[in-house]
Amino acid sequence: EVQLVESGGGLVQPGGSLRLSCAASGFTFSSYAMHWVRQAPGKGLEYVSAISSNGGSTYHANSVKGRFTISRDNSKNTLYLQMGSLRAEDMAVYYCARAASSGWYAEDWGQGTLVTVSS
Amino acid sequence: DIQMTQSPSSLSASVGDRVTITCRASQGISNYLAWYQQRPGKVPKLLIYAASTLQSGVPSRFSGSGSGTDFTLTISSLQPEDVATYYCQKYNSAPRTFGPGTKVDIK
């Protein structure tokens, strides 16, 4: 069974930093691209970042480019999102998701971790 | 960037009704379109990929169609457990944008 468990969320002040982790199990982590998707309170889904299976290719939405960095450690079956210069508009539940083997849609999702940006 | 729109933004229908949600891409995306269901307070769930392929375990009352710029998600007979927000997503290339969502509830 595919399991994705996010951690690292919490309360951070504007301008602060946070690193999210997503521990993966139940599949060969190193064979799959991964995504981060976020959802602000009461809002829709926003695609944030993606990384290829070997980490050689990454994507960041314009809204987070230069502030967030996606990475992965295939030896630890873990996906990361390093977030910096956090703003109020970054407050959201952050989901990690596994891309399908047949395309870059999100086949499996974690439960999410809440990031609150407030002074 | 390609923009994704959905209509309607919300709808209310009776149990057993046929429900159709439309998703439109601002440029052609072939069939690189997925649909997700997010029940209230829950995690999004993949329903359909490649515009019309039903994900394993998804009830057959859900179906998808379309190609290019216009896509539809159809629920053939609405059930109480289908109360949710439905999102489309393009995935042919980055950014893999989501539509704004369509909220479905029971009349």
Side-chain angles (χ1 to χ4, degrees):
Chain A
E1 180 195 1
V2 171
Q3 285 204 320
L4 299 167
V5 180
E6 301 92 337
S7 61
L11 175 64
V12 61
Q13 291 187 339
S17 299
L18 213 54
R19 187 177 82 159
L20 305 184
S21 300
C22 172
S25 61
F27 64 101
T28 304
F29 181 70
S30 59
S31 296
Y32 290 85
M34 298 292 294
H35 308 287
W36 286 102
V37 176
R38 70 184 180 183
Q39 187 168 37
K43 302 296 184 183
L45 302 174
E46 181 185 6
Y47 192 76
V48 176
S49 298
I51 188 166
S52 60
S53 58
N54 66 3
S57 176
T58 61
Y59 167 82
H60 297 88
N62 287 337
S63 57
V64 306
K65 198 172 293 183
R67 301 187 298 120
F68 290 13
T69 301
I70 189 172
S71 63
R72 64 192 296 160
D73 186 337
N74 286 346
S75 68
K76 295 182 178 179
N77 291 346
T78 302
L79 175 72
Y80 302 101
L81 186 67
Q82 180 68 48
M83 305 187 296
S85 302
L86 282 161
R87 307 166 180 167
E89 55 264 34
D90 296 319
M91 185 163 66
V93 174
Y94 284 74
Y95 297 102
C96 74
R98 184 185 76 153
S101 55
S102 60
W104 283 75
Y105 53 92
E107 189 166 27
D108 297 283
W109 297 66
Q111 291 298 309
T113 187
L114 176 63
V115 172
T116 302
V117 183
S118 175
S119 54
Chain B
D1 292 350
I2 296 174
Q3 305 303 312
M4 304 299 292
T5 58
Q6 288 182 234
S7 61
S9 57
S10 65
L11 67 89
S12 186
S14 299
V15 172
D17 281 355
R18 183 181 185 89
V19 168
T20 299
I21 298 168
T22 297
C23 175
R24 180 163 290 170
S26 60
Q27 297 175 40
I29 58 171
S30 185
N31 69 335
Y32 293 95
L33 194 283
W35 289 97
Y36 302 88
Q37 175 194 62
Q38 187 176 32
R39 292 177 172 135
K42 300 298 185 182
V43 175
K45 171 188 171 184
L46 175 67
L47 293 178
I48 287 169
Y49 60 94
S52 61
T53 303
L54 205 62
Q55 174 70 347
S56 177
V58 173
S60 59
R61 64 180 179 273
F62 291 93
S63 64
S65 65
S67 184
T69 60
D70 295 318
F71 303 88
T72 59
L73 172 69
T74 299
I75 308 173
S76 61
S77 176
L78 188 68
Q79 300 301 303
E81 60 266 32
D82 300 335
V83 168
T85 301
Y86 294 84
Y87 298 92
C88 62
Q89 183 199 25
K90 63 169 280 288
Y91 61 91
N92 59 318
S93 63
R96 295 170 184 94
T97 311
F98 291 93
T102 295
K103 187 174 182 180
V104 174
D105 62 27
I106 301 291
K107 195 182 293 182

